[in-house]
Amino acid sequence: MATEAPDPKTFTSWQAAFQYPIPAVRRMEAQLRGDVASGREKVRGLVGGDMKADSVPGYRASYRDLLGTAESIVEMDETMRNVEKNLGILGRGCGARAVEVRVRGLGRWEGGLRAKDRERYAFASQLAVLQRCPLVITRLLRKRCSTLLAAKVLVISRLLYKSLAQGNGTPPFLDNLRLQLGSLRRKLLAHIDRRFADSNTGTNALVEAMCAFSLATSSLPKDVLRHFLHVRQEMLTVRLEKGGGGDGSVLVALRVYIRTLQDTQAVFPKRLAESLAKMKAQPLLKDADVRGLMELSLDVHERWIADEVRNFTPWVRDEDLQKTEAEKVLTEWARKAFAAFIGGFKKILESVEDLKELVQLRKKLLETWLSADSRSPGLSSSEVLDGLRAAINGQLGRVIRSRVDRLDLIGSEITGVIERWRPGLTDVHPSLWDQSMTSMEVSNGAAAFKQAILGRSHGRNEAVLRVLERYNLWSRSIEEVEHVIQGLKDTKWDVDLETDEDDELELDSKQALLSEDDPRELQEGFQKALGKALRDLENQIQEFAGSFAPEEKAQQAMFVLRVVREIRHRLRKHYETVRVGPVIVHDFQQMVVESVLKDPIRTFDRAMEKRSRTGRVVTRALWEGTPKLPVQPSPTVFKLLHGTVSAMAEAGSDIWSPDATDVLKKQLRANLLILLNRSLKPKSMDDKVNGIAGEEKEEDEANGLNRPMIATNGDDGDTDWNIQLLFDASFIQKATMTNLETGEGGFDALVEKIHLEDGSLVRLHKAAEEYWKRTSLLFALLA
């Protein structure tokens, strides 16, 4: 239900009407208008008399016209008076002086209006351009457009901000624009630094970025050069620090170094000076690229921009950096950067242990440097090449030495076997005739069967194989070292170089340097390290003798001998100068010989004592010739040699190398010489023996001759005993004669004691030699 309008007649003032809602006010308005119209009609009715509108309509209309005419007359009268007044004033003001004064006043008035409008329009236009500058800069940076154009817009925006900040009534959001421009400046400089850091940036783009940096920071060319080299230095360091074990970072760092030298020499000072001079040729707002930015709407706003902004032209002292000064700065940077590169490169190399990876890295680095044909100011090409070679060769040498030094693990493995020695298990050697051998598969060439035969015949039990496995790993790593060094020798450096007169290293000398000197240096270091490692292993093995358990001394010595033999056999031919074991092997062989001869010698000694008590020569009936002499050794000697050979076979036939056999023969001969001398019977002869008269004996003695004597059948058996001992000694001398020995081998004293005539002595030696030839195959390990 609509609210009823109040009665306006009750209001005391007109403000009271507006305390009600608008619809109520409008109804009150309509009511008042109706009341006014009604009142007007009533008044007119009173003026026109009591005539009714229905009775005299024409009369009422005429009266209204009269009223209108009267009103018009009043208005015309007022208007005429105003016109006359104005014409009078105009006439008084039309004098020459008055007109001049008014014209000057009008001009001042209109000038004031225009100045006020211009100031307002300039403020609005500059503010509009300034507000759009951050958007333009952001777009240019985001789309990786021209950094120089972004720098120009940034400079224009700073000028606009300065112009607006100097005026009155600065808007509050202008400070926000200043902060935004500061942030964009930092982003622009970061974008320029990324351009500087990218070694793939073209020369034109690099020059543009340098001009942008100079414009954005008001820097001189010298400052631009130093900043550019500083950014490249940081980039090189970052690449090396993030390298890890890969070669990509090192190559990138070297390319950054090379490209920096090339870019600097190409840009400074001429290219940069030309670009800066071109930038100073016209105001920034007249630049075609700036005017092409549609967002700024310079075609609309340019006329309202302040003159100091429209006419601003960058001014940079492009002649500040001369060629000599640029070379000086670059020389200082080149030395410092190369030292940093080598330091970081060496740190990366410390984690690289793969020889092939090192060689590949060496080849890539040297090819990169040689193919770049860069000449570092302050550093000759040879100095850079030598620095790279020294770093890589140093790491190659360390890796080679570390691989060679792993030979001590073999000594540690031998020590572990000896410390964990378990009699009957560690020293067990499977027989060639085990069932496992006879049932072994022989298909596909019987490779496993052949390997098993070789292993068992050479005494390669589990303990020996465990050491050999460690040695084989070491040997394979050493073979890789040899292949790597040989690969360095075979590498051909056929990089096309445009050498100049100042380059002291021609291609031939570089070929010799990289493919001859470096491999030779590594080879010498390798041989030296190998010799030291083998000598250390030899000393380590020699120390084992003192740690042998007395009851297992022989078995452990044989284990060491087998290991040393396998190592010596597996050493490559050109390592003969660093053979291991010539000194220490003899000591271990002596231990084995003493153990092998212990029982046979003891048995022989007991048998000789028993025979010596009886004095009976059991082979006397087999003597032949005139006079009768022995033609075969006594059974005791034969059993001695048979027992010795059996003990040797039980120890292992693989142990008895020529050197070991010679040691045994010498030891056996020395022991038998003592026993045979001790078994000789004292001499007891008549004045006439073997038909020789006393006078003849005296005559021979006068002539200085000692005629040998042989007892007749009537004598006791001592002489036969001694002659048989002499034959046994001769037979043993033949059996234990080494290849390097001549003469009687220590039995000369025994011959002198028996005094056998020369002919008989020759017969006896010949018979012993013949018997040894017939029976030597029975004692194959001694033959």
Side-chain angles (χ1 to χ4, degrees), residues 604 608 611-612 617 623 630 634 637 675-681 718-732 747 750 754 764:
F604 177 79
M608 289 299 294
R611 286 182 53 209
S612 178
V617 180
W623 290 16
S634 61
V637 172
L675 295 177
L676 291 177
N677 281 321
R678 194 172 63 191
S679 300
L680 280 175
K681 298 293 185 178
D718 291 346
T719 301
D720 293 342
W721 173 267
N722 291 338
I723 292 174
Q724 182 64 48
L725 285 183
L726 183 59
F727 184 90
D728 292 342
S730 180
F731 178 74
I732 291 172
F747 291 101
L750 188 62
I754 297 179
L764 186 142

Side-chain angles (χ1 to χ4, degrees), residues 254-255 258-259 262 366-375 495-497:
L254 182 60
R255 292 192 186 104
I258 295 172
R259 189 58 186 271
Q262 295 173 344
L366 296 180
E367 284 181 347
T368 300
W369 173 253
L370 295 176
S371 61
D373 191 25
S374 296
R375 293 168 181 83
V495 180
D496 294 333
L497 299 177

Side-chain angles (χ1 to χ4, degrees), residues 41-175:
E41 290 296 331
K42 288 181 179 181
V43 171
R44 286 180 177 178
L46 292 175
V47 174
D50 297 332
M51 293 182 296
K52 301 293 183 182
D54 295 336
S55 61
V56 191
Y59 176 80
R60 188 175 184 179
S62 297
Y63 178 73
R64 290 183 178 178
D65 291 339
L66 290 175
L67 289 178
T69 302
E71 290 178 358
S72 299
I73 292 172
V74 173
E75 290 178 0
M76 289 175 61
D77 180 61
E78 184 178 358
T79 303
M80 286 300 294
R81 290 179 181 179
N82 290 335
V83 170
E84 290 176 356
K85 182 179 179 181
N86 292 332
L87 286 174
I89 295 173
L90 182 61
R92 289 191 297 271
C94 284
R97 185 174 180 84
V99 172
E100 182 180 356
V101 173
R102 282 164 174 73
V103 168
R104 288 198 301 267
L106 180 61
R108 286 194 299 271
W109 179 73
E110 291 180 350
L113 292 177
R114 285 196 301 270
K116 190 173 182 180
D117 292 340
R118 181 176 181 82
E119 182 179 355
R120 187 173 69 253
Y121 295 156
F123 180 83
S125 295
Q126 291 183 127
L127 185 59
V129 175
L130 179 59
Q131 286 178 322
R132 295 173 184 175
C133 283
L135 300 177
V136 174
I137 297 173
T138 303
R139 178 180 63 82
L140 293 175
L141 295 180
R142 185 176 64 251
K143 294 185 177 181
R144 300 181 182 275
C145 298
S146 172
T147 54
L148 180 57
L149 181 57
K152 291 178 179 178
V153 175
L154 179 64
V155 172
I156 292 173
S157 64
R158 289 191 302 190
L159 294 172
L160 291 173
Y161 171 79
K162 182 178 179 181
S163 177
L164 292 174
Q166 291 176 350
N168 297 325
T170 303
F173 59 84
L174 199 60
D175 291 337

Side-chain angles (χ1 to χ4, degrees), residues 15 24 34 54-55 57 63 71 74-75 91 104 156 198 329 353 372 387 472 509 525 575 599 613 666 700 744 746 762:
Q15 291 90 348
D54 295 336
S55 61
Y63 178 73
E71 290 178 358
V74 173
E75 290 178 0
R104 288 198 301 267
I156 292 173
D198 188 2
V329 174
E353 298 292 336
N472 290 334
S509 62
Y575 298 157
D599 290 339
R613 287 195 297 269
K666 293 177 182 179
D700 291 339
E744 299 299 325
V762 171

Side-chain angles (χ1 to χ4, degrees), residues 222 225-226 229 264-265 268-270 318-333 377-378:
K222 184 190 300 184
L225 174 59
R226 294 185 183 277
L229 295 178
T264 305
Q265 293 171 345
F268 292 94
K270 186 176 180 181
D318 52 294
E319 72 279 1
D320 172 72
L321 185 62
Q322 302 299 325
K323 184 176 181 180
T324 55
E325 191 171 359
E327 290 179 352
K328 181 180 178 181
V329 174
L330 183 59
T331 298
E332 180 182 355
W333 180 87

